[in-house]
Amino acid sequence: MCIRDSFRDNFKIEPSQGTLAPNTELTITTKFCSQREWKIRTNRNTADILMEILEGKSKEKHQSVYINVNVNAVFSKYSITPLKNINFGPLQFGENKSRQFEIKNEGLFEFQYNIFDFFDEAKRAEIKLMYDQAKAELLQQQQQAQQAGKDKGKKDAKPAPAKKDNKKAAAELPPGSVKIGQFVLNPCQGVIPPDSSVTIQTTFQAQGASIYEQKLAIEISNRDPVDQPKGILYEVIGESCIPGINTDNFESIFEEQVVLPSLASGNIQSMINSNVFSVEENCFHFGTLVYSKEKDFIMEKFKISNPNKIPCTVKFNVKKRTQQSTQELVFSVLPASAKIPPHEHVYVKVKFKPTIMAQYSAIFEAIVENGEQNLKTGKLVFDLRGEGALPTLKLEKPKDWADERTPVLKFPPVRIGKTQTLPIVLKNDGHVPATINFEVQPHESFKFLGLTNYTFVPKSYQSFNIEFRPKTTGKLEWFV
């Protein structure tokens, strides 16, 4: 048997020569092995294997026979979908999220696959050894079949069950799960028949507040060794997030109110009705409100923002400063809870409705479910203060009193036809506006000058003049 140079690296004939006695036969084995993809189909004109039959004693050439071959040597062909990676996006810590990718056999023969950590050299060596052993076992089986005189075509037909569905193929090589970093992959190994596929369930287990990027290696048996020799690189990415809210940007939280560094930094009395939040004291002041048993109250809105990539659920509550406090809770909050989408906000309304003349205090809480229980992101806590009051006026003038409840404005003696004017001076010493009304009855000698209705702002004075112009002699009186 003769093989041309171009075939010698790929074909091996055993035996390549010999003597055949009369009425006997000899089996000649031709082995083909290629390290690259190669498709060849020869005829008499292109055949590279020649068998020469020689006369037994004279060694004269009796006949030349060209051996035609039909060979299609291919590597394992595959496709992976999605192509290069899976991105799980942000996920709340402690939760799991699953996605899938698919490995499909696009070739002519079944292949094995294994998924492992791209940087795990020990696993890479183990898989290579396993594949080499599988090749050696297959070669040994073929040799044993040839020695036993079995038909090669029938032997090769044994893998025909590779046409089975994926579930049965997986049962032949039971796949397990593998955890690589924060990702669990199942199945991590198996056999895929031609024109079939397997779905790899990939589960991301979110933990802490971190971004996880994991490089995987997918090894497929009998593929082109030049194609990513360390394994097909595949990346899985996920971000674990802890839900939280804005707790330190007070200008945003109290965007409709006044924010002061400290109560000592400004005249709080002049701003007490402006609804002030003081940073140093961590306290929101509702100011002073005239208490009423009807509908008088103050309602303020606070902006609660979610600056994170995942939604969060926030519970709102107003509670007493101490459990032992006997003071009535006159603060309330709506809603009791809210779900805030990523990078969005909600407004929470807090109502202050005093019922008596007193100073009130409470604690406002906005607590994030499953968040870190600290004041950085998971909890917004500050004091609430307000005062219930009644409008009050102080009589500065006159100083004389007829009795405990009746002040007296005493005019000196005045000639008939002449005029004398004296003031009534009032001061608002309280923290809320106060309105006064004078009821004036007509009198021929007395006259009320100016407005009979007036509203005092806190800490202000106002004079009201009374004119006396007697028409007759004697002691005259007038009640206002």
Side-chain angles (χ1 to χ4, degrees), residues 35-37 75 78 219-220 222-232:
Q35 300 301 318
R36 60 185 177 87
E37 288 192 333
F75 290 119
Y78 63 89
E219 187 55 71
I220 292 176
N222 300 319
R223 63 188 180 89
D224 188 349
V226 178
D227 174 22
Q228 303 187 66
K230 288 192 172 184
I232 303 159

Side-chain angles (χ1 to χ4, degrees), residues 62-281:
H62 174 69
Q63 186 179 1
S64 296
V65 180
Y66 288 93
I67 307 298
N68 293 322
V69 296
N70 184 6
V71 174
N72 184 16
V74 295
F75 290 119
S76 295
K77 302 292 184 182
Y78 63 89
S79 64
I80 300 176
T81 308
L83 185 59
K84 293 182 178 181
N85 60 59
I86 293 177
N87 193 331
F88 287 85
L91 183 66
Q92 181 173 310
F93 84 103
E95 294 185 354
N96 296 339
K97 183 177 181 180
S98 294
R99 295 189 64 181
Q100 299 83 29
F101 67 92
E102 181 186 76
I103 304 175
K104 185 175 182 181
N105 187 342
E106 306 279 5
L108 301 177
F109 304 98
E110 70 177 24
F111 60 67
Q112 298 181 55
Y113 73 91
N114 278 269
I115 304 172
F116 59 98
D117 186 347
F118 189 84
F119 300 104
D120 189 345
E121 294 295 338
K123 186 66 176 179
R124 182 176 285 108
E126 177 187 334
I127 292 173
K128 184 178 183 303
L129 178 61
M130 180 180 66
Y131 287 172
D132 290 344
Q133 289 175 344
K135 289 180 182 179
E137 290 175 2
L138 178 61
L139 182 59
Q140 184 179 7
Q141 290 173 2
Q142 291 174 345
Q143 291 174 344
Q144 290 174 351
Q146 292 167 1
Q147 292 173 1
K150 294 182 180 179
D151 181 73
K152 184 176 183 298
K154 292 182 180 179
K155 180 66 179 179
D156 287 348
K158 187 175 181 180
K163 300 284 185 179
K164 306 169 187 176
D165 61 22
N166 290 342
K167 291 183 179 179
K168 194 166 183 180
E172 294 175 358
L173 184 61
S177 298
V178 62
K179 184 174 182 181
I180 304 174
Q182 294 303 120
F183 301 90
V184 177
L185 297 103
N186 184 38
C188 65
Q189 60 181 358
V191 176
I192 305 179
D195 198 29
S196 298
S197 63
V198 64
T199 298
I200 309 299
Q201 187 82 2
T202 307
T203 302
F204 172 49
Q205 299 176 338
Q207 181 178 358
S210 181
I211 297 176
Y212 296 92
E213 298 183 24
Q214 190 68 50
K215 295 183 184 297
L216 308 177
I218 304 174
E219 187 55 71
I220 292 176
S221 62
N222 300 319
R223 63 188 180 89
D224 188 349
V226 178
D227 174 22
Q228 303 187 66
K230 288 192 172 184
I232 303 159
L233 178 62
Y234 201 83
E235 291 186 317
V236 284
I237 304 166
E239 182 176 2
S240 177
C241 300
I242 298 176
I245 56 175
N246 165 40
T247 61
D248 52 13
N249 185 350
F250 299 116
E251 295 291 343
S252 173
I253 298 171
F254 305 102
E255 64 179 11
E256 297 184 2
Q257 295 85 22
V258 177
V259 177
L260 293 178
S262 171
L263 295 181
S265 63
N267 185 359
I268 188 62
Q269 294 302 327
S270 64
M271 306 181 69
I272 198 67
N273 292 313
S274 300
N275 303 318
V276 177
F277 178 79
S278 58
V279 177
E280 183 177 335
E281 290 80 4

Side-chain angles (χ1 to χ4, degrees), residues 297-309:
F297 59 86
I298 299 175
M299 181 80 77
E300 290 295 328
K301 293 193 302 182
F302 305 142
K303 182 179 179 181
I304 309 300
S305 303
N306 177 7
N308 299 310
K309 299 178 182 179

Side-chain angles (χ1 to χ4, degrees), residues 388-405:
L390 288 175
T392 58
L393 289 175
K394 180 181 179 182
L395 182 66
E396 296 288 327
K397 290 183 180 180
K399 299 293 186 180
D400 298 321
W401 293 77
D403 53 44
E404 292 182 354
R405 300 183 59 185

